[in-house]
Amino acid sequence: MIHITVIDINFIITEILRLLPFFIPIIIIQYGLMIFALVQLFRNEAAYLPKWGWALIIIFFGIIGPVVFLIVGKKKEIEND
Amino acid sequence: MRSFKAYFKKEILESVRGNKYLILFVGTIFWALMDPLMLKLLPLILKNYLPADLIVLFSTFNRDTAFQTFLNDLFQIGTIIIALTLMGLLSNEVSLKKLVFPYSRGASPAGVVLAKYIHYTITISLFILIAFLTNYFYINRLFTGGMLSIEIALKSSLLYILYYSVLLSILLYFSSLFKRGLIAGISVLVLGYSLSIFNQFETIRVYLPNYLLFKAADIGHIFDNSLIPTVIISFCIIILLVFFSILRMKKIDVA
């Protein structure tokens, strides 16, 4: 049987707050890249998937989603150059 | 020399336009930041869900093991991102007929290939160096124990830079062989991962570039005599594959 006590939760929260400054660069990279990829998606043609499909991948697949879109999804734009 | 300079500038512009710098930066730096934090937080979050003996295993992490975890993740994820981002290095130039005009104006294939190789080697080396220094800073702040130092982190990064230079030369050569970049990218991934298996065989591993990764994680004994054949062979592979890529680009029908 798993028991999560109030003390445990408090300890985890305290620890997360202590580590918060270390998370700031990660949050900036993650959300910065997500916004950048979404802007690129709506400004350019998308390859292989409809735009809404890419939007879902970018939003829900963490850091991998925007990276996959920028590698694969923007291909058409590069090919057209 | 004119072709080299022109293509070097073209690669910089194309990398900016194709967001390749951004992808490579994220692909290397993100794990340097994320890995130490995850190692620190996971035991706390999973404390109530895992058996006590597994939690004890988590608590034995020190600076050395945290650094080795980063090296492992950089190899596994970084290699995928590098291979898939740069898979079309030469194949895209050929399949999209981008070389017709430069070749007709007298551009040298050697200049084109060298510009691409040197440009991306410098880029990846710089990002790997930044990733190692960032990871060292994070590990130093979050973990204690172990013998990791800035000198060890820099030595380790040098071996990773050499390994990725070899991988890039293989990617460049495969990219000149296949018309579809994806085939080149996947071939490099299969080769890169499968060669790691040989790290278990002491007699063979010193002759393969993946031994560089093995030694990079061998904190305390990174630079020793066993690396000499690996480094010599790695440089030979780079020179040969860049040379073969140039030969291939000379013979290829760009029209």
Side-chain angles (χ1 to χ4, degrees):
Chain A
M1 191 71 182
I2 295 162
H3 294 288
I4 303 175
T5 61
V6 177
I7 298 166
D8 284 338
I9 292 171
N10 280 342
F11 179 69
I12 291 170
I13 291 171
T14 316
E15 198 64 7
I16 289 174
L17 286 176
R18 192 178 69 84
L19 296 176
L20 200 61
F22 293 100
F23 273 106
I24 291 170
I26 295 172
I27 294 166
I28 292 171
I29 292 177
Q30 171 115 34
Y31 287 95
L33 194 69
M34 185 196 284
I35 292 164
F36 177 78
L38 285 172
V39 171
Q40 291 291 313
L41 174 67
F42 291 109
R43 277 191 185 167
N44 301 292
E45 286 295 309
Y48 304 113
L49 284 177
K51 282 193 176 186
W52 62 265
W54 278 118
L56 289 178
I57 290 173
I58 291 167
I59 294 166
F60 292 110
F61 280 70
I63 194 80
I64 302 294
V67 169
V68 171
F69 166 72
L70 291 173
I71 294 174
V72 184
K74 272 190 75 191
K75 213 174 177 181
K76 249 181 191 169
E77 188 225 12
I78 297 164
E79 281 173 4
N80 288 339
D81 287 339
Chain B
M1 197 64 190
R2 269 179 55 208
S3 302
F4 176 83
K5 278 184 184 172
Y7 259 83
F8 199 89
K9 283 179 188 168
K10 178 184 168 277
E11 281 309 314
I12 294 173
L13 292 174
E14 243 179 34
S15 298
V16 173
R17 220 166 34 152
N19 310 120
K20 284 180 183 167
Y21 288 141
L22 185 69
I23 300 166
L24 293 173
F25 182 79
V26 171
T28 48
I29 306 290
F30 188 77
W31 315 109
L33 300 168
M34 197 69 179
D35 271 0
L37 278 171
M38 280 298 108
L39 275 184
K40 193 76 183 168
L41 276 180
L42 266 182
L44 297 172
I45 296 166
L46 299 176
K47 198 175 153 189
N48 295 296
Y49 301 95
L50 289 177
D53 48 343
L54 266 180
I55 292 295
V56 170
L57 197 74
F58 274 116
S59 63
T60 57
F61 277 126
N62 59 21
R63 295 187 314 147
D64 293 354
T65 43
F67 186 65
Q68 284 162 340
T69 309
F70 161 67
L71 295 181
N72 204 24
D73 284 355
L74 181 66
F75 167 62
Q76 285 175 357
I77 304 162
T79 307
I80 296 177
I81 291 176
I82 290 171
L84 295 183
T85 309
L86 305 178
M87 62 192 178
L89 267 184
L90 291 172
S91 56
N92 273 359
E93 299 279 338
V94 178
S95 61
L96 301 174
K97 297 188 181 2
K98 285 182 179 177
L99 289 171
V100 180
F101 185 65
Y103 272 30
S104 64
R105 294 285 301 256
S108 125
V112 174
V113 172
L114 283 175
K116 280 176 181 289
Y117 181 71
I118 292 171
H119 169 255
Y120 285 111
T121 305
I122 293 171
T123 307
I124 291 172
S125 304
L126 197 68
F127 289 162
I128 286 176
L129 196 64
I130 297 170
F132 272 71
L133 291 176
T134 316
N135 186 257
Y136 174 74
F137 172 76
Y138 262 56
I139 286 174
N140 241 1
R141 290 295 177 102
L142 296 171
F143 293 90
T144 53
M147 55 191 294
L148 185 71
S149 65
I150 186 84
E151 194 193 338
I152 289 173
L154 287 174
K155 280 179 179 174
S156 193
S157 73
L158 273 181
L159 295 186
Y160 260 72
I161 286 169
L162 183 57
Y163 173 76
Y164 278 115
S165 304
V166 174
L167 203 77
L168 199 61
S169 69
I170 299 171
L171 190 63
L172 193 78
Y173 180 60
F174 281 180
S175 182
S176 72
L177 285 182
F178 303 114
K179 278 201 168 183
R180 289 183 71 88
L182 190 64
I183 300 172
I186 290 172
S187 308
V188 168
L189 283 178
V190 171
L191 192 70
Y193 291 138
S194 56
L195 283 181
S196 289
I197 299 165
F198 291 98
N199 272 343
Q200 293 167 1
F201 307 106
E202 273 188 43
T203 46
I204 313 168
R205 68 186 182 191
V206 289
Y207 303 107
L208 295 169
N210 283 50
Y211 186 61
L212 295 168
L213 305 179
F214 179 82
K215 286 304 286 180
D218 189 9
I219 295 170
H221 314 278
I222 293 179
F223 285 173
D224 62 18
N225 287 342
S226 70
L227 262 179
I228 296 170
T230 323
V231 171
I232 293 170
I233 286 169
S234 298
F235 278 113
C236 289
I237 292 172
I238 292 171
I239 293 166
L240 276 176
L241 289 182
V242 171
F243 178 70
F244 286 146
S245 305
I246 294 169
L247 281 185
R248 172 82 183 147
M249 291 310 284
K250 273 184 182 170
K251 285 179 186 169
I252 209 159
D253 181 21
V254 293

